[in-house]
Every structure is written in C-alpha cells, then in structure tokens.
Amino acid sequence: AYVDSAPNFTPSSYSGGESVTLPNGLIMKMGLTASVSADSSLAVSFGSAFPNAVISVVLTKKVAIQTMGQGELTVNSVTTSGFTIRNGQDSAGQVFFQAIGH
C-alpha cells in the first residue's frame, strides 16, 4: 500500500528535525546538526528518545569538512536519546544525520 494511505502512519516533528513513525513501529529521525568544530566532539539529542533501541545512525557531511588527513567523521556513544559526533578533521562543518530505531 502507498505510505500516505497506510493506517497509523504518523509523520511528525521534534526539536532535532523530522521524525516519522511507520505502521510497523520503525521510527526514523533526521536533522541537520549545528556546526561541528575541527578536531572535536558534539553531542546530538534526538529531542524525544526512541522507546526501545537505536538500530543505526548515519552521517552525511554538508559542506566545508575536508575528508583528507588523519581524522574521520564518526558516530560515537549512541543511546536511545542521542549520540555523539566525533570530527577528527582539521576543519569544521555541518552534518546531516538519520537515525533509525524502534
């Protein structure tokens, strides 16, 4: 069935960006973080916690973060209420994220 006509399909917003709860209970949250400083970590809150568990968090750099050099852009310390971005790069920039859980 087409998602818009599915029963119990609830697109919604939360303080961190957008959130979608699918009829099977799968929840997707996505957003754009504030700038992540060079060679630092940034805590990101989901706004409202996942009720049970986080399955995956994926990062996509927006612009300005160079991906060459010693460091990497990684997800650390994932909990049902948020996660930490580790930017090991020599430049700052913004990051999109998508989290999937239930």
Side-chain angles (χ1 to χ4, degrees), residues 31-58:
L32 174 64
T33 69
S35 184
V36 182
S37 299
D39 196 23
S40 68
S41 295
L42 176 70
V44 177
S45 172
F46 292 133
S48 60
F50 284 93
N52 299 300
V54 177
I55 298 168
S56 173
V57 177
V58 178

Side-chain angles (χ1 to χ4, degrees), residues 6-63:
N8 302 321
F9 178 72
T10 311
S12 59
S13 293
Y14 72 103
S15 63
E18 296 294 324
S19 179
V20 176
T21 301
L22 300 176
N24 66 355
L26 192 66
I27 302 167
M28 297 185 297
K29 297 179 185 242
M30 64 279 316
L32 174 64
T33 69
S35 184
V36 182
S37 299
D39 196 23
S40 68
S41 295
L42 176 70
V44 177
S45 172
F46 292 133
S48 60
F50 284 93
N52 299 300
V54 177
I55 298 168
S56 173
V57 177
V58 178
L59 301 176
T60 304
K61 66 179 186 158
K62 185 174 178 185
V63 290

Side-chain angles (χ1 to χ4, degrees), residues 31-34 36 58-68 72-74 85 87 89 91-98:
L32 174 64
T33 69
V36 182
V58 178
L59 301 176
T60 304
K61 66 179 186 158
K62 185 174 178 185
V63 290
I65 297 178
Q66 302 296 318
T67 56
M68 292 188 266
E72 295 182 41
L73 193 62
T74 57
I85 297 172
N87 180 10
Q89 300 298 321
S91 63
Q94 292 184 314
V95 176
F96 292 103
F97 73 87
Q98 182 181 36

